[in-house]
DNA sequence: CTGAAAGCGCTTACAG
DNA sequence: CTGAAAGCGCTTACAG
């Protein structure tokens, strides 16, 4: 494939006996252009015969559209946690992009990298729009780009910024998990957050926990609330504190599977059993959740759906079709397995 | 960011009082071009003042290079298995690409998609080169592209094709795992493959198992060999067959963690304990391996390193610097945890 | 229903 | 040490 001797639209035009305009019109399926079926046929055949692939590099410059969207993937302190979502999210994005004829660029931003590393993707016209996963609330570049009308969709939420976003309904998900515990008869239910409450998702999951208790007429007891910090060890430490309380909880809602696994370890180390002594429900449904013993009852996050929705929304914005909904919240599903002692 | 009113190199040139040529030369850091420090400075300042980002779309057309590499990700029957490697591999690729100033395109190929879906990436000049993960031996397009000299690197191996590739040394990895079992005193060691033996990695891992036995002067007993098929259930079924044998094995080498988890379940269902009754070692070290009970002793696959190496190799090929090594095999590391009963 | 021509915003020999 | 000009391969008004 030496450069310079690939067939061009000129070659196709000559072989078909038409102009390059016509070749472009036919190959791009431009509507409202009354080209005879016969001419169209000739062009298509010529292109096939020459094994012609339009040079996207030229197409992009001429058309002003790159037909590419980028996933900007922030690798913050929560990176190990978030990696579990990457395959689903990315493939959801890629599938939707492909469905609409677009391509996807993957751009991780390392923690030590200047925060505006992704700006080049927008301003240098690498992509027609960006999906940002793990947005930071103090990111001025983001606000700036949005203010200029550059197409942006967040995976996650940035309250108040007004940027279109796609996320899971964390409140309802947590609510469902805790309701499950309540329905099993538990009254002293502890919770461990998945991360510091400055993370929107953490605060929302905690809110779902509160709402469930409130709806059941139960008091909110600060002593039953502990903070996790993404990893297993933080879940273990938090559970140890919870177990040290005079009145031991009979159930736990861990706001992530990872934190739940740490809690499970602490419970085991205390000589207690799950679900016998303590029932455990969690959130995320990462791949490991069904493998561990006991298999976790957890709130499933539709990662592929998140990716698909984000890409679809972004593509609508790029096409300037006002989307019906710019703040999308996807539903979760409680997956009942063994850790709460309920039959699936 | 309405199109059409972004600053161009023309604007920068005017502000700096030089020609567009000079702007291009400075901004691209072209070597051997004796531009005065003062002129260079003026250009840089003008660019900064205008917040100038070169339009890559134009740059690509003019220069003939896209500075983009693509990861083609085959989603075959082994998709659930391989998804565990995606985050590490992709981020390894992205990090290396960024280190060398390139971008990465992610392109999954669905099982029902025409096999040549990725050819467009090459011929349409979306990317300067491709990394293919999960190559198929009957893929003529691949051979054709390679024959034409288009830059290609495989993640995995395609014996005989002569295409540059990056993979883990499956034979040595398996050898290390089985040697570990032998060192623990086991003599009747069964194995379950991770997939049908038509998959190169499966055959190689089995070969490592054989070599270890041979080196220890032990016979190769077909009856101790069972086939897995990517998923947990296949591991469970294989282990059930193995357990039904008159002389029960005292140890198992499962050629993937997923298959090992199924085997663990079968062992538990048979009322046996790990590692007490049967020691289990496996391969991959997926995220779940350390969470399950007992935590798996397994062969770690350096996914990030695979990605980085693949990208680095591809970039060398694109730059036409003959790489030292075109068939790269990365070393694995045996991670000793609990499932073999040895102290870490 | 189709074509001639300008233009997209860069890079790159070439000349001086 | 720097500039004028051609060219990369398409798309897209515009004209007929």
């Amino acid at each position: 494939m030496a450069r310079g001797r690939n067939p061009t639209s000129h070659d196709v035009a000559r072989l078909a006996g038409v102009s390059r305009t016509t070749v472009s019109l036919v190959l791009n399926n431009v509507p409202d252009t009354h080209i005879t079926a016969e001419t169209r046929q000739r062009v298509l055949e010529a292109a096939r015969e020459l094994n012609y692939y339009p040079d996207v590099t030229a197409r992009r410059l001429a058309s002003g559209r790159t037909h590419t969207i980028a996933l900007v993937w922030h690798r913050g302190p929560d990176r190990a946690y978030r990696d579990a979502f990457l395959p689903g999210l990315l493939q959801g994005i890629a599938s939707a992009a492909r469905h609409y004829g677009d391509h996807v660029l993957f751009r991780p931003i390392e923690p030590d990298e200047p925060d505006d590393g992704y700006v080049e993707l927008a301003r240098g016209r690498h992509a027609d729009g960006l999906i940002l996963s793990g947005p930071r609330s103090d990111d001025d570049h983001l606000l700036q780009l949005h203010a200029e009308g550059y197409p942006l969709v967040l995976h996650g939420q940035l309250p108040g910024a007004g940027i279109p976003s796609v996320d899971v309904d964390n409140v309802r998900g947590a609510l469902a998990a805790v309701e499950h515990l309540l329905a099993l008869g538990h009254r002293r239910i502890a919770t461990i957050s998945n991360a510091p409450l400055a993370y929107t998702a953490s605060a929302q999951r905690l809110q779902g926990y509160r709402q469930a208790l409130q709806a059941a007429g139960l008091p909110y007891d600060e002593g039953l609330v502990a903070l996790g910090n993404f990893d297993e060890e933080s879940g273990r430490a938090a559970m140890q504190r919870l177990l040290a309380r005079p009145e031991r909880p009979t159930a736990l809602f861990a706001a992530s599977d990872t934190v739940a696994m740490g809690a499970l370890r602490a419970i085991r180390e205390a000589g207690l059993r799950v679900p016998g002594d303590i029932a455990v429900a969690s959130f995320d449904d990462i791949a490991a959740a069904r493998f561990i013993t006991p298999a976790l009852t957890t709130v499933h996050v539709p990662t592929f759906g998140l990716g698909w929705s984000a890409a679809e929304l972004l593509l609508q914005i790029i096409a300037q079709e006002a989307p019906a909904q710019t703040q999308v919240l996807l539903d979760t599903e409680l997956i009942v397995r063994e850790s709460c002692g309920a039959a699936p």
Side-chain angles (χ1 to χ4, degrees), chain A residues 204-283:
Chain A
Q204 292 175 336
R205 290 176 189 185
L206 181 58
Q207 193 192 335
Y209 164 83
R210 294 183 74 149
Q211 283 186 13
L213 293 192
Q214 189 170 8
L218 258 31
Y220 176 73
D221 178 355
E222 293 263 354
L224 288 173
V225 179
L227 294 183
N229 188 29
F230 298 115
D231 63 7
E232 200 196 349
E233 190 45 42
S234 73
R236 177 159 167 260
M239 193 68 215
Q240 285 169 343
R241 289 195 298 278
L242 256 12
L243 289 175
R245 288 179 45 87
E247 282 205 313
R248 193 213 295 154
T250 67
L252 169 72
F253 166 59
S256 82
D257 293 339
T258 312
V259 157
M261 289 178 196
L264 247 31
R265 182 177 299 259
I267 294 171
R268 203 161 42 228
E269 287 166 351
L272 268 17
R273 314 218 49 172
V274 174
D277 298 310
I278 300 185
V280 175
S282 60
F283 208 115

